[in-house]
Amino acid sequence: MPSAEEPAALAAENADEEPGADPRLRLLGACVAQILRPAAGAWERCARTAEGEQLLQAFFGRDAAEGPRPLLVVRSGPGGLTMQPGLDAGPGAGSPRAKGLFFLRTRPEPPGPDSLRGAVLFGDLPAAPLEHLAALFSEVVIPVLANEKNRLDWPHMVCQDVRRHAHSLQCDLLVILEQVKGKTLLPLPVGSEKMEFVDSKSETVSDAIDKSVIYAIESAVVKWSHQVQMVLKRESSQPLLQGENPTPKVELDFWKSRSEDLEYIYNQLRMIKARGMAGLLDKLQSSYFPAFKAMFRNVVAGEDQQVFLQIHLTQISLEC
């Protein structure tokens, strides 16, 4: 994140360009110019609009101390800027190449005219924040936590707890990203990377696997079963319940999407790690192994049903 001194220096250089203007606007404008790099004069035009003036006045005002909201500046085009309160919409609401810059008040007192340091926090916001956060976790946070040199003084229980929470958050992010695409991701539990090398026929398999890993696998089976049931219970009549009047194409699209999702789940259950998990549960005579088999059978039965329904619906649409 850029330091507060750099935008302040840029604002000082341009301080004489707009006599009588609020110097705090020049400070914000320097941040916008440094990070978003808009076309010349874009910030001034954005700040002078009626909506821009209202948002800036609310951001700098003392009433912001009661419930300060972030201010988001978005570069949605080649050089144009838009301004909006809060981060709900995000820069991705427009062009996929849009980039955003947020400003956040950090104390009740309004920022002074000379510097934003200590009063305003700012930083860039990607167009796809969830994808950005998932990549950050996968490529930065998880490797840092996995490095033993970074946790030499940590107790063993703390290491396990931090690792478990980090892995859980990473899995939740990946599941949400796949849900946006209409797919159901079955997140692998901590320790599943060892499943590829486990010989389920070995007599000492239970000694080779940590008890916490076995617990994580059994918990994953419960979560997977719930996810599969959610897919199988979806009904194409949902648009009718919402008062809509769907066409036959909507019905076909629903079953096609459901079929692709079930195939995606089936392929995940056929992966080496998932089969290793099932083999381990079978070897340990775990009470969760029948649940795993039932889940797999339900997915296969759901796929068979999908084929029949799609053929039937296609015939109906052709006759219509």
Side-chain angles (χ1 to χ4, degrees):
M1 184 176 295
S3 63
E5 289 84 353
E6 293 174 352
L10 292 173
E13 295 177 1
N14 302 325
D16 298 330
E17 293 183 2
E18 297 181 20
D22 190 337
R24 296 176 298 182
L25 296 183
R26 290 197 294 270
L27 293 173
L28 293 186
C31 299
V32 172
Q34 182 184 17
I35 298 178
L36 298 184
R37 301 186 183 281
W43 167 249
E44 289 74 13
R45 291 191 296 272
C46 179
R48 288 171 184 167
T49 62
E51 182 181 5
E53 290 180 352
Q54 183 178 4
L55 290 175
L56 289 169
Q57 184 178 3
F59 180 76
F60 286 128
R62 288 189 175 276
D63 56 343
E66 301 176 0
R69 295 196 64 192
L71 180 67
L72 180 64
V73 181
V74 178
R75 187 194 66 194
S76 55
L81 295 174
T82 58
M83 198 181 306
Q84 62 190 49
L87 307 178
D88 297 337
S95 169
R97 298 178 61 87
K99 184 178 180 181
L101 173 64
F102 71 87
F103 295 96
L104 178 65
R105 290 270 299 274
T106 58
R107 61 189 185 191
E109 299 79 12
D114 300 323
S115 175
L116 300 177
R117 186 177 181 84
V120 175
L121 180 68
F122 65 93
D124 58 336
L125 190 67
L130 276 179
E131 294 181 5
H132 179 80
L133 183 58
L136 176 67
F137 251 81
S138 299
E139 300 177 14
V140 179
V141 177
I142 298 298
V144 169
L145 292 176
N147 190 343
E148 295 182 359
K149 296 180 180 179
N150 296 324
R151 43 187 174 87
L152 293 175
D153 299 330
W154 293 14
H156 178 67
M157 294 300 295
V158 173
C159 292
Q160 283 190 327
D161 193 54
V162 170
R163 184 188 179 195
R164 179 172 57 84
H165 281 87
H167 183 270
S168 176
L169 179 55
Q170 182 188 27
C171 289
D172 290 343
L173 288 171
L174 295 176
V175 169
I176 293 174
L177 287 175
E178 290 300 307
Q179 283 180 340
V180 173
K181 302 175 185 177
K183 296 181 178 180
T184 301
L185 176 69
L186 305 180
L188 292 169
V190 177
S192 60
E193 63 276 2
K194 303 176 183 178
M195 293 299 100
E196 298 181 22
F197 311 103
V198 172
D199 183 7
S200 59
K201 297 180 181 179
S202 173
E203 296 295 333
T204 59
V205 63
S206 59
D207 298 331
I209 299 297
D210 189 88
K211 299 299 182 183
S212 62
V213 175
I214 298 175
Y215 172 77
I217 292 174
E218 293 176 339
S219 300
V221 172
V222 175
K223 185 173 183 178
W224 290 3
S225 299
H226 177 71
Q227 289 178 276
V228 169
Q229 286 301 316
M230 291 292 290
V231 175
L232 295 175
K233 289 181 179 180
R234 288 180 194 155
E235 296 289 344
S236 61
S237 60
Q238 189 65 31
L240 289 174
L241 298 177
Q242 296 175 349
E244 301 177 12
N245 187 20
T247 62
K249 184 179 183 302
V250 175
E251 184 83 7
L252 286 171
D253 290 342
F254 170 82
W255 291 110
K256 180 182 178 182
S257 174
R258 188 173 183 267
S259 176
E260 293 174 351
D261 195 12
L262 286 173
E263 184 179 1
Y264 185 65
I265 294 174
Y266 175 81
N267 291 334
Q268 292 178 80
L269 293 176
R270 292 290 300 166
M271 290 175 61
I272 295 178
K273 293 180 180 179
R275 295 205 305 266
M277 292 167 55
L280 177 63
L281 294 177
D282 185 21
K283 183 65 178 179
L284 297 176
Q285 298 183 349
S286 171
S287 58
Y288 292 86
F289 181 63
F292 189 100
K293 292 196 298 182
M295 174 180 58
F296 187 82
R297 286 196 300 266
N298 290 338
V299 172
V300 174
E303 281 194 307
D304 293 340
Q305 182 188 31
Q306 285 286 149
V307 174
F308 172 78
L309 286 173
Q310 280 191 289
I311 295 175
H312 182 64
L313 289 171
T314 303
Q315 291 176 344
I316 293 177
S317 63
L318 291 176
E319 293 174 358
C320 295

